Amino acid sequence: MKEQIIKVADEMFTNYGLKSVTMDDIAKKMGISKKTIYQFYKDKDELVELIVRQKLDEQWCEMEEIGKQYPNPIEEVLRMSEYIRKQMTTIHPSVIYDMQKYFPRCYAMYNEHIERCFKDSFSKNIENGINLGVYRSNINPEILSILRIKQIEMAFNPEYFPPQKHKLQDIQ
């Protein structure tokens, strides 16, 4: 039951955003009482945090796997971009905003993950490309990694890219 709650909640959060989905919505979709959910999870914050942590761990593993599978830096960066684009097609545009505004612990985890996972992956890719001679030697891996991360984050900002006008995967 515990895993089923996570699965349904994850699906609903991904499709509708974190804030708009209530524990009542999850219970209704599952055909169980809200009390049943609270037997396993203290509150919505705990459930959201658990799901966000799982998603971030999955992303970390996937990015590491891409790095191992594709030793050619150009192929690796193309696969990383493809993976990020795929992730963006499955996530509701408000999820990042909802985390920032309503789930600050999750947003802190997300920011730490971005720093640890994506910046590290991009930096390693650039350094590897420089060492292999496929990227220019005067590129600063740290600066370029930060720019790429901010580019990805900007895609989620509705001020720049209103979701009714632009799809996340197109922006990516």
Side-chain angles (χ1 to χ4, degrees):
M1 178 59 75
K2 199 172 183 176
E3 279 76 31
Q4 188 63 25
I5 293 168
I6 290 173
K7 182 180 177 203
V8 170
D10 178 23
E11 179 184 303
M12 293 181 79
F13 293 148
T14 300
N15 290 331
Y16 306 112
L18 302 175
K19 180 67 176 160
S20 65
V21 176
T22 66
M23 296 297 254
D24 282 323
D25 295 332
I26 297 166
K28 184 177 179 181
K29 172 114 178 172
M30 293 184 68
I32 61 173
S33 71
K34 195 164 60 167
K35 185 177 178 182
T36 303
I37 296 175
Y38 287 119
Q39 288 176 334
F40 298 101
Y41 302 100
K42 180 178 70 170
D43 54 20
K44 183 177 173 183
D45 287 355
E46 180 183 10
L47 188 57
V48 169
E49 190 171 325
L50 179 68
I51 291 169
V52 168
R53 187 178 315 274
Q54 284 181 350
K55 291 283 193 193
L56 297 179
D57 288 347
E58 287 170 15
Q59 281 185 352
W60 174 260
C61 291
E62 187 63 31
M63 292 297 279
E64 288 219 317
E65 190 58 36
I66 290 170
K68 290 175 188 172
Q69 281 184 328
Y70 300 97
N72 177 309
I74 295 172
E75 183 69 21
E76 178 189 18
V77 80
L78 289 173
R79 296 296 169 234
M80 285 191 289
S81 291
E82 186 179 283
Y83 173 73
I84 292 166
R85 190 172 23 263
K86 182 181 172 192
Q87 292 297 305
M88 291 177 128
T89 63
T90 63
I91 189 170
H92 191 275
S94 73
V95 168
I96 304 299
Y97 175 79
D98 288 351
M99 268 197 295
Q100 186 176 14
K101 187 164 183 175
Y102 304 108
F103 301 94
R105 284 197 337 233
C106 290
Y107 190 66
M109 279 188 329
Y110 167 78
N111 281 327
E112 181 183 314
H113 168 76
I114 293 298
E115 181 72 25
R116 180 180 58 121
C117 177
F118 288 103
K119 185 177 176 198
D120 185 53
S121 295
F122 294 146
S123 290
K124 283 180 184 175
N125 175 275
I126 295 165
E127 289 166 5
N128 187 30
I130 291 170
N131 291 335
L132 293 174
V134 293
Y135 296 157
R136 293 190 331 249
S137 61
N138 64 343
I139 293 174
N140 184 318
E142 182 181 7
I143 291 171
L144 199 55
S145 297
I146 292 168
L147 287 171
R148 180 64 178 124
I149 288 166
K150 295 304 174 188
Q151 181 186 38
I152 292 168
E153 288 176 353
M154 209 168 48
F156 285 96
N157 188 326
E159 291 178 31
Y160 299 121
F161 301 104
Q164 61 274 16
K165 189 174 179 183
H166 302 285
K167 294 180 183 177
L168 283 173
Q169 64 268 28
D170 292 341
I171 300 165
Q172 171 59 25

